[in-house]
Amino acid sequence: MFDLNKLIRENIKTLRPYSSARDEFSGQAKVFLDANENALGSPLQKWYNRYPDPHQVKVKEALAPVKAVEPERIFLGNGSDECIDLLYRCFCNPGKDNIIICPPTYGMYEVSANINDVEIRRAPLLDDFQLDLVHLENLADENTKLIWICSPNNPTANAMHRQDVETVLNNFTGIVVVDEAYINFSRQKSLVQELNDYPNLVVLQTFSKAWGLAGLRLGMAFASEEIVEILNRVKPPYNISQATQELALKALEEVGQVNDMIKELVQMRVALKGVFEKLPFVQKVYPSDANFLLVKVEDAKSVYNFLLTKGIVVRDRSNVKLCDNCLRITVGTEDENTELVEALADYFFETKYIKS
Ligand SMILES: *Cc1c(COP(=O)(O)O)cnc(C)c1O
């Protein structure tokens, strides 16, 4: 049975969190002399001289209806990367506990585990890039605190079978983190609506992809109120800047515009896949539920270097397990995609000429 109390690190359970000036007094007052801010202002036109809301109440209130989830079940991080790190710090005892990842997958789960000195166990994806449930089950023991599932997965682009994710949620007594950074581009539904059924579920999302706000650094974790409360104790008090909170609020008024961009990106992804598949040196374009395509070519290094000479950067994933000779290509603007396709056509003609 899932017992959150048994999962939390002892030092976190007994932690007395930092109490900020904004925590100790949050009512109405005329004069604020409690936080050592600069009351005269700042060199900027808009001052930003006051500390931001440590609990991001307004952002969470605006986000809650968009995600159909209570504000109490939302945690905001300085990018998803902060949420990832905090999950380790809250639940994994360095040098003792372990976590499971399903490679090939997002690199930060591993880097963050290494930073926190937490053992990494690996249940590689099957050949079809789906979860290996048997291997996962065999790896988990009483010190396994987190299982990381990225769906849709980076870099393979596919969503995991929902049934498989639910099987893990039902059978694992630790926390299952489902990273939905690319969920807006997917045919699959988000798991955020299932929080009631799964007390061990943490869903990660981000403003960096579909929302187009990678530069703001704003990530979301959705989980039970209890888990959110633990993350809140451990986070730096003012982890989301005033500027980020204001800009996120503005963006949240434009959900329609974001949905239009998602539609356009998905259409371009479908079109690009069709074009790639016609190129003779392309062996496979994997199905995508994300805003990028994983493309297997004859000689990934050579395609990658050729594109660089044209000023086009893609991600070379050919050293990654199961991604032999694969490039990860993000969907760009219409013009960028055209430039890419023309460069790939040039590559074909030039290499054919050299070979013959
Ligand atoms: C891009 C990405 C993120 C987003 O990270 P941020 O820190 O929010 O920018 C998270 N997870 C995966 C799998 C990603 O590809």
Side-chain angles (χ1 to χ4, degrees), residues 47 52 76 124 150 160 163 170 172 221 226 234 272 282 310 346:
W47 283 0
L76 296 176
C150 189
M160 300 302 147
Q163 187 97 67
N170 280 318
F172 180 51
E226 292 77 16
V234 177
L272 264 186
V282 168
K310 303 274 174 180
D346 287 349

Side-chain angles (χ1 to χ4, degrees), residues 137-196:
E137 194 176 336
N138 286 336
L139 285 182
D141 64 19
E142 68 278 6
N143 288 325
T144 308
K145 296 296 188 73
L146 309 170
I147 294 181
W148 296 91
I149 297 175
C150 189
S151 180
N153 186 40
N154 178 4
T156 59
N158 62 299
M160 300 302 147
H161 295 320
R162 189 171 183 95
Q163 187 97 67
D164 289 355
V165 178
E166 298 207 27
T167 300
V168 178
L169 280 161
N170 280 318
N171 291 298
F172 180 51
T173 50
I175 288 173
V176 180
V177 189
V178 181
D179 187 344
E180 295 187 336
Y182 299 99
I183 193 68
N184 308 80
F185 306 104
S186 177
R187 285 151 285 198
Q188 191 138 136
K189 261 181 55 195
S190 166
L191 278 164
V192 168
Q193 293 318 312
E194 317 305 319
L195 287 173
N196 274 334

Side-chain angles (χ1 to χ4, degrees), residues 1-19:
M1 271 312 291
F2 178 72
D3 182 355
L4 186 62
N5 254 318
K6 277 202 337 223
L7 289 174
I8 311 168
R9 287 171 66 193
E10 205 53 43
N11 60 316
I12 302 302
K13 216 185 292 179
T14 55
L15 177 76
R16 205 147 61 89
Y18 178 75
S19 180

Side-chain angles (χ1 to χ4, degrees), residues 77-84 105-109 149-155 179-182 204-209 213-215 217-220 291-292 328:
N78 188 352
S80 311
D81 291 343
E82 185 180 41
C83 303
I84 293 169
T105 193
Y106 186 46
M108 279 310 289
Y109 314 142
I149 297 175
C150 189
S151 180
N153 186 40
N154 178 4
D179 187 344
E180 295 187 336
Y182 299 99
L204 299 183
Q205 292 187 9
T206 178
F207 280 83
S208 297
K209 308 284 155 66
L213 296 169
R217 309 310 301 131
L218 189 58
M220 304 161 252
N291 64 341
F292 60 87
R328 193 193 72 189

Side-chain angles (χ1 to χ4, degrees), residues 282-342:
V282 168
Q283 288 173 346
K284 178 158 187 166
V285 186
Y286 291 91
S288 173
D289 271 287
N291 64 341
F292 60 87
L293 289 164
L294 188 73
V295 186
K296 196 187 203 61
V297 295
E298 258 162 40
D299 184 352
K301 283 266 166 336
S302 127
V303 178
Y304 176 83
N305 287 327
F306 182 86
L307 289 176
L308 275 188
T309 66
K310 303 274 174 180
I312 301 172
V313 199
V314 299
R315 198 92 198 260
D316 181 4
R317 299 280 80 183
S318 53
N319 290 330
V320 172
K321 211 179 152 186
L322 297 182
C323 297
D324 199 34
N325 270 317
C326 283
L327 299 173
R328 193 193 72 189
I329 303 177
T330 310
V331 176
T333 64
E334 195 83 58
D335 286 349
E336 289 169 341
N337 298 336
T338 305
E339 220 176 301
L340 168 74
V341 168
E342 282 170 4

Side-chain angles (χ1 to χ4, degrees), residues 14-42:
T14 55
L15 177 76
R16 205 147 61 89
Y18 178 75
S19 180
S20 70
R22 288 294 168 269
D23 283 317
E24 288 183 8
F25 182 86
S26 56
Q28 295 292 315
K30 263 199 331 232
V31 181
F32 283 95
L33 303 176
D34 59 345
N36 297 348
E37 297 148 335
N38 183 341
L40 300 185
S42 85

Side-chain angles (χ1 to χ4, degrees), residues 13-266:
K13 216 185 292 179
T14 55
L15 177 76
R16 205 147 61 89
Y18 178 75
S19 180
S20 70
R22 288 294 168 269
D23 283 317
E24 288 183 8
F25 182 86
S26 56
Q28 295 292 315
K30 263 199 331 232
V31 181
F32 283 95
L33 303 176
D34 59 345
N36 297 348
E37 297 148 335
N38 183 341
L40 300 185
S42 85
L44 300 179
Q45 205 157 47
K46 167 129 212 282
W47 283 0
Y48 295 110
N49 61 329
R50 299 294 178 180
Y51 280 104
D53 173 6
H55 309 294
Q56 308 101 23
V57 171
K58 284 188 180 145
V59 180
K60 287 177 185 173
E61 271 172 6
L63 185 58
V66 174
K67 300 290 174 185
V69 67
E70 300 85 341
E72 295 75 25
R73 289 184 169 181
I74 304 174
F75 174 85
L76 296 176
N78 188 352
S80 311
D81 291 343
E82 185 180 41
C83 303
I84 293 169
D85 179 64
L86 283 170
L87 285 162
Y88 282 106
R89 290 200 281 152
C90 291
F91 297 107
C92 300
N93 290 295
K96 178 173 167 230
D97 292 329
N98 68 75
I99 58 95
I100 304 177
I101 58 172
C102 305
T105 193
Y106 186 46
M108 279 310 289
Y109 314 142
E110 181 161 348
V111 173
S112 219
N114 287 331
I115 291 170
N116 287 287
D117 191 20
V118 172
E119 180 197 339
I120 301 161
R121 298 186 177 181
R122 292 177 180 80
L125 297 175
L126 300 167
D127 285 340
D128 61 356
F129 294 150
Q130 292 296 326
L131 297 172
D132 185 344
L133 294 179
V134 176
H135 196 172
L136 264 175
E137 194 176 336
N138 286 336
L139 285 182
D141 64 19
E142 68 278 6
N143 288 325
T144 308
K145 296 296 188 73
L146 309 170
I147 294 181
W148 296 91
I149 297 175
C150 189
S151 180
N153 186 40
N154 178 4
T156 59
N158 62 299
M160 300 302 147
H161 295 320
R162 189 171 183 95
Q163 187 97 67
D164 289 355
V165 178
E166 298 207 27
T167 300
V168 178
L169 280 161
N170 280 318
N171 291 298
F172 180 51
T173 50
I175 288 173
V176 180
V177 189
V178 181
D179 187 344
E180 295 187 336
Y182 299 99
I183 193 68
N184 308 80
F185 306 104
S186 177
R187 285 151 285 198
Q188 191 138 136
K189 261 181 55 195
S190 166
L191 278 164
V192 168
Q193 293 318 312
E194 317 305 319
L195 287 173
N196 274 334
D197 290 343
Y198 300 111
N200 57 338
L201 170 64
V202 174
V203 178
L204 299 183
Q205 292 187 9
T206 178
F207 280 83
S208 297
K209 308 284 155 66
W211 287 84
L213 296 169
L216 280 195
R217 309 310 301 131
L218 189 58
M220 304 161 252
F222 303 96
S224 69
E225 260 189 80
E226 292 77 16
I227 293 179
V228 167
E229 197 269 325
I230 298 163
L231 294 169
N232 275 328
R233 288 152 162 260
V234 177
K235 79 178 181 75
Y238 303 112
N239 62 328
I240 311 295
S241 79
Q242 179 68 24
T244 297
Q245 293 191 40
E246 285 173 10
L247 291 168
L249 267 177
K250 269 205 136 122
L252 282 162
E253 289 170 10
E254 306 296 341
V255 179
Q257 203 181 318
V258 175
N259 284 332
D260 289 344
M261 284 198 291
I262 293 166
K263 265 191 220 135
E264 194 179 340
L265 288 165
V266 169

